[in-house]
Amino acid sequence: MRLSRYFLPVMKETPSEAQIVSHRYMLRAGMIKQNAAGIYSWLPLGFKVLRKLENIVHEEQMRAGHIPMLMPTLQPADLWRESGRYDDYGEEMLRVTDRQGRDMLYGPTNEEMITDIFRSHVGSYKDLPLTLYHIQWKFRDEMRPRFGVMRGREFFMKDGYNFDLTKEDALHAYNRHLVSYLRTYERMGLQAIPMRADSGPIGGDDTHEFLVLAETGESEVFYDSAVTDLKFGTRTIDYDNHAACAGIMEEFTSKYARTDETHDEALFNEVPEERRRVARGIEVGQIFYFGTKYSEAMGATVQGPDGKVTPVHMGSHGIGVSRLLGAIIEASHDDKGIIWPEGVTPFHCGIVNLKQGDVEADAACEALYDSLTALGLDPLYDDRKERAGGKFATMDLIGLPWRITVGPRGLKNGVVELTSRRTGESVEMAPEQAVEKIAQIYKGLTVHGI
């Protein structure tokens, strides 16, 4: 993409309403525009990253054997009355009435709707296990929406639901989701720590939240510092292998890590003092096992192998896809702007022409652009007639991991400058070598899936 043809409304000044880093940089980098309190338009750069995150979530869910679908944003209130949650959910639920006088709601979550779908079409244990998921916009009428996409009223979320014959099978689904989430977050360049959490209005006894450590996190967390050394890495796993999934669950949850709602001071004090940590965390996902809570209330049953009709065991599993943008920026930035991990960057690299209109510089930039594009990469070429300082500031603000700088002086020596956004280090090399370097970086990500 040529920047002269792109819509990137960057801002030099920080908007007064932006209280945290991610909100400031998303506004300044032209990623979002606020339309109402907690409701945003996603401008091209922000939408591009949002779609990358969505695709990673889809890939890892399908890798785990989960089946994508799509449910509507509006739901009939009768389903929620049937489960008993319509009056319990509180004022966060946006309730509406259609022209026929029917009570509706803008879905904050989908347990009732997915249970209704299941009971309408599944009646035998032979159809189990089954996990369905979708990625959809949701709405919760927060009393004090703030921090940009971190705590908005409208948000983009992946929620999935497993249906199993037994508790043992349902807990395997729980473990399987934990594994798939670990892979998902690491592909995004995040370390999201699974922490014992409170189930809230969803219900159930088994639940873990995934939290990214950040000073601006809304949750206080208590953990053994040894959990930050754990990495899923490039290992492969058979998602049908109960023991393998349970082993990873044990590896990543056996050390103390809890949110403030479930913190146990006595257990925490058993952690060696030098490893005890208290910090802030940003929630980016949560998994639940809630047994037969919804299936019993709503008649989601199957005929078992013994011929008896039994309610299915269920769980739900969510990832805040839109919230992830804020979490990534909070975890990866400096005083100049965003620093995108390679796995989620909106463009693979930036090309900066120091002297737009110079025949040789223009030709070299066009050649770099064409070479990178031919390799399946997506560069952003700053071909504007702007001063070099302004071009560098824009590239630093939007946070592309790599920048290739082209100028007449370097071209006389047959070189361009390749700069790492994360380290700030620059290396001069031939243009074709810079292209090869960028290609190798992203080829490695594709091969390993992280």
Side-chain angles (χ1 to χ4, degrees), residues 292-305:
T292 58
K293 173 181 177 178
Y294 295 94
S295 56
E296 287 184 344
M298 299 182 67
T301 60
V302 295
Q303 186 176 51

Side-chain angles (χ1 to χ4, degrees), residues 174-395:
Y174 187 94
N175 296 344
R176 191 175 66 238
H177 277 84
L178 180 133
V179 175
S180 69
Y181 278 23
L182 291 172
R183 279 189 57 94
T184 298
Y185 295 127
E186 286 195 18
R187 283 187 61 184
M188 296 175 181
L190 286 172
Q191 181 175 42
I193 303 170
M195 297 192 179
R196 177 66 66 178
D198 181 67
S199 62
I202 301 292
D205 297 326
D206 292 278
T207 180
H208 282 83
E209 284 181 356
F210 293 79
L211 289 107
V212 175
L213 299 177
E215 293 180 1
T216 52
E218 58 191 352
S219 301
E220 187 174 33
V221 297
F222 303 79
Y223 64 96
D224 180 340
S225 64
V227 302
T228 61
D229 296 328
L230 299 173
K231 300 288 187 295
F232 190 86
T234 59
R235 70 180 90 178
T236 58
I237 185 168
D238 178 0
Y239 282 101
D240 293 326
N241 187 319
H242 286 222
C245 291
I248 292 177
M249 163 64 81
E250 174 69 16
E251 177 186 350
F252 279 83
T253 63
S254 60
K255 294 179 173 58
Y256 192 92
R258 296 194 177 199
T259 61
D260 50 2
E261 294 97 336
T262 61
H263 176 55
D264 186 319
E265 192 68 24
L267 286 176
F268 188 52
N269 287 335
E270 294 178 8
V271 177
E273 185 174 1
E274 68 275 12
R275 300 208 316 252
R276 288 181 218 151
R277 300 287 187 275
V278 181
R280 309 294 298 180
I282 299 169
E283 181 200 343
V284 291
Q286 189 164 6
I287 57 177
F288 302 84
Y289 162 69
F290 41 69
T292 58
K293 173 181 177 178
Y294 295 94
S295 56
E296 287 184 344
M298 299 182 67
T301 60
V302 295
Q303 186 176 51
D306 57 1
K308 295 181 179 179
V309 175
T310 181
V312 294
H313 288 256
M314 293 176 58
S316 69
H317 319 274
I319 290 179
V321 181
S322 54
R323 166 180 275 244
L324 276 167
L325 273 85
I328 291 170
I329 294 170
E330 292 293 332
S332 185
H333 68 272
D334 61 15
D335 59 359
K336 296 179 181 178
I338 303 165
I339 305 174
W340 290 115
E342 278 89 350
V344 299
T345 179
F347 295 95
H348 294 114
C349 72
I351 302 171
V352 171
N353 189 340
L354 294 180
K355 194 172 183 180
Q356 196 72 37
D358 178 86
V359 174
E360 291 186 1
D362 289 355
C365 288
E366 291 290 343
L368 284 166
Y369 184 86
D370 291 343
S371 296
L372 290 164
T373 303
L375 291 171
L377 297 172
D378 189 9
L380 179 65
Y381 173 23
D382 191 342
D383 59 344
R384 300 172 301 162
K385 292 185 177 180
E386 291 276 344
R387 295 175 60 182
K391 291 187 174 187
F392 289 145
T394 296
M395 286 293 175

Side-chain angles (χ1 to χ4, degrees), residues 147-177:
F147 304 154
V149 300
M150 297 287 290
R151 195 163 196 175
R153 291 192 294 165
E154 186 181 51
F155 54 96
F156 199 47
M157 181 178 174
K158 172 263 165 181
D159 49 320
Y161 305 90
N162 66 282
F163 302 88
D164 291 278
L165 184 63
T166 66
K167 180 177 181 179
E168 178 186 1
D169 289 341
L171 289 177
H172 170 60
Y174 187 94
N175 296 344
R176 191 175 66 238
H177 277 84

